[in-house]
Amino acid sequence: IEVNPDAINIAEKLDEERAAGQVRGPLHGIPVMIKDNIDTGDKMMTTAGSLALVGPPAAKDAFIVEKLRNAGAVLLGKTNLSEWANFRSERSSSGWSGRGRQCRNPYAMDRNPCGSSSGSGAAVSANLCAITIGTETNGSIVCPANANGVVGIKPTVGLWSRSGIIPISHTQDTAGPMARTVADATALLGPLCGIDETDSRSITSDGHFQLDYTRFLDPNGLRGKRIGIWRATMGFHEKVDEVLEKSFDLMRSAGAEIIDKVDITGHHQTGGAGYQVMLYEFKHGLNQYLASRTGIGIGSLQDLIEFNKANRDRSMPYFGQERLLLAQEKGNLDTLEYRESLEKVVRLSREEGIDQTL
């Protein structure tokens, strides 16, 4: 969606450091691209793909971008995405944004790249860079990783700081690595960890993160592991099921014990409550973020809605902004509906969900 005009200068300086014997670590000189909902305090814009945010750059780097630069990575540019990380319309096209238009799958240009980190998945798949950063609230790293044939990791929420990233849900949001191999994705995971006092969830990771996860890479890592198969999510396409069955066999051959027909109770009861949580948290988080940006003329969710209405031909030629409108109708985070929805999601997904299953 945008190329960093300073990329060549950054690369030359890092080459000079290496020639002088100063190597910052495994990311020194490695070309990286990041999703265009992550702030960079440079000459590039941060827009979440929206025409409403086209204008002056963010005031400073997001916490993880600062860590990325300190690690010696070359920030080549920003990647396209599903606009507002796919939280604008109920009928959106994955990978479409008003600013970047339609991102395409490099394996089949007429096929869906999935989203919302569509450009991050497509860019690393097409060898435009070595590693990318995507963000995920609910599938936005793992889905484009799958569709573009690459590796995506959604870290535990709080392992990477979220400050300086345009939010949807502070309960679920996190950035994460995308790469062509497990080893490459793992190489990015550790250097971007760290305690950020401005992100309360980041503070909870203190004492729990590693600065180098590559030391845990093990070609025999599946030996003795117990892997549950949740067949309720299968059965929609016989060819997909065939690929999955082959992958189960590969896991067995690598020494894993396959526990078949696992059931995660309560999963299907969380959807409605989870959506309510996202609507409330999106309004709260986006209003906070937009209030911190200057020079763009958009200071709130309501301002964004009005911009889209006034620029309908450019901003909404194919689908609308139903989710923005629904979020704007919500109250604050003290509202009973929000608190009850959050409690339900946490209970059904944790102690009555994955914990009970395990």
Side-chain angles (χ1 to χ4, degrees):
I1 201 170
E2 185 170 2
V3 175
N4 185 358
D6 295 324
I8 297 298
N9 290 336
I10 293 170
E12 288 176 345
K13 289 177 182 177
L14 289 166
D15 281 349
E16 291 171 1
E17 287 184 13
R18 183 179 290 274
Q22 180 187 347
V23 179
R24 302 188 188 192
L27 295 182
H28 190 110
I30 299 297
V32 178
M33 301 182 83
I34 67 173
K35 188 175 178 180
D36 182 36
N37 60 347
I38 304 173
D39 284 351
T40 54
D42 52 18
K43 296 174 185 174
M44 293 188 290
M45 293 182 279
T46 304
T47 68
S50 173
L51 295 171
L53 297 192
V54 170
K60 63 178 183 178
D61 285 342
F63 183 88
I64 60 170
V65 174
E66 183 180 352
K67 300 281 284 186
L68 190 68
R69 294 190 200 273
N70 290 339
V74 180
L75 184 52
L76 287 186
K78 302 278 187 85
T79 58
N80 198 8
L81 69 158
S82 308
E83 188 173 314
W84 295 108
N86 210 21
F87 208 74
R88 200 192 89 181
S89 173
E90 304 284 356
R91 299 180 293 106
S92 60
S93 169
S94 281
W96 189 92
S97 71
R99 184 178 170 215
R101 316 314 276 186
Q102 183 62 53
C103 176
R104 301 185 182 276
N105 189 317
Y107 279 98
M109 298 290 278
D110 61 344
R111 295 303 180 102
N112 195 317
C114 203
S116 66
S117 303
S118 315
S120 296
V124 75
S125 179
N127 290 322
L128 301 183
C129 55
I131 310 172
T132 58
I133 296 177
T135 66
E136 175 166 327
T137 304
N138 194 353
S140 287
I141 289 175
V142 295
C143 186
N146 168 65
N148 294 282
V150 298
V151 176
I153 299 174
K154 181 183 182 181
T156 301
V157 174
L159 188 68
W160 281 10
S161 165
R162 286 89 53 82
S163 64
I165 300 177
I166 298 176
I168 292 179
S169 164
H170 61 256
T171 298
Q172 295 177 244
D173 288 349
T174 182
M178 303 180 75
R180 288 186 294 280
T181 68
V182 172
D184 284 354
T186 305
L188 184 62
L189 189 60
L192 271 58
C193 292
I195 306 303
D196 176 8
E197 297 295 336
T198 66
D199 181 353
S200 60
R201 289 297 290 273
S202 165
I203 296 171
T204 66
S205 73
D206 191 10
H208 298 288
F209 64 82
Q210 305 285 331
L211 294 178
D212 179 13
Y213 286 92
T214 61
R215 62 194 181 94
F216 300 111
L217 291 170
D218 178 5
N220 298 311
L222 284 178
R223 189 165 295 157
K225 300 299 187 294
R226 291 159 53 85
I227 298 177
I229 306 302
W230 190 18
R231 290 191 179 273
T233 62
M234 298 172 62
F236 294 94
H237 197 290
E238 64 279 3
K239 290 189 180 295
V240 174
D241 289 349
E242 183 180 330
V243 173
L244 285 169
E245 294 292 351
K246 288 179 179 177
S247 73
F248 303 156
D249 289 339
L250 284 169
M251 293 177 199
R252 288 189 186 94
S253 66
E257 179 184 357
I258 298 298
I259 312 299
D260 214 339
K261 298 180 181 178
V262 167
D263 182 36
I264 302 180
T265 58
H267 167 75
H268 297 293
Q269 303 172 45
T270 61
Y275 188 40
Q276 294 305 312
V277 169
M278 286 195 288
L279 289 170
Y280 276 96
E281 292 186 353
F282 178 73
K283 179 182 181 180
H284 173 80
L286 187 63
N287 280 337
Q288 281 191 328
Y289 174 83
L290 291 176
S292 72
R293 292 287 301 271
T294 58
I296 54 176
I298 301 291
S300 67
L301 174 57
Q302 185 60 49
D303 289 345
L304 170 61
I305 290 169
E306 296 304 322
F307 176 93
N308 286 336
K309 288 179 181 178
N311 296 274
R312 183 176 300 274
D313 290 347
R314 294 189 302 143
S315 294
M316 300 192 293
Y318 304 117
F319 49 86
Q321 56 177 344
E322 304 88 38
R323 287 177 174 166
L324 303 187
L325 295 169
L326 287 170
Q328 180 59 26
E329 293 173 359
K330 298 300 181 182
N332 60 36
L333 299 188
D334 291 325
T335 305
L336 181 61
E337 181 184 43
Y338 168 73
R339 291 187 284 112
E340 290 182 342
S341 296
L342 181 60
E343 185 279 329
K344 182 177 182 180
V345 168
V346 171
R347 174 171 47 82
L348 290 177
S349 64
R350 295 182 188 178
E351 56 261 33
E352 295 181 25
I354 188 63
D355 294 347
Q356 182 172 297
T357 300
L358 294 175

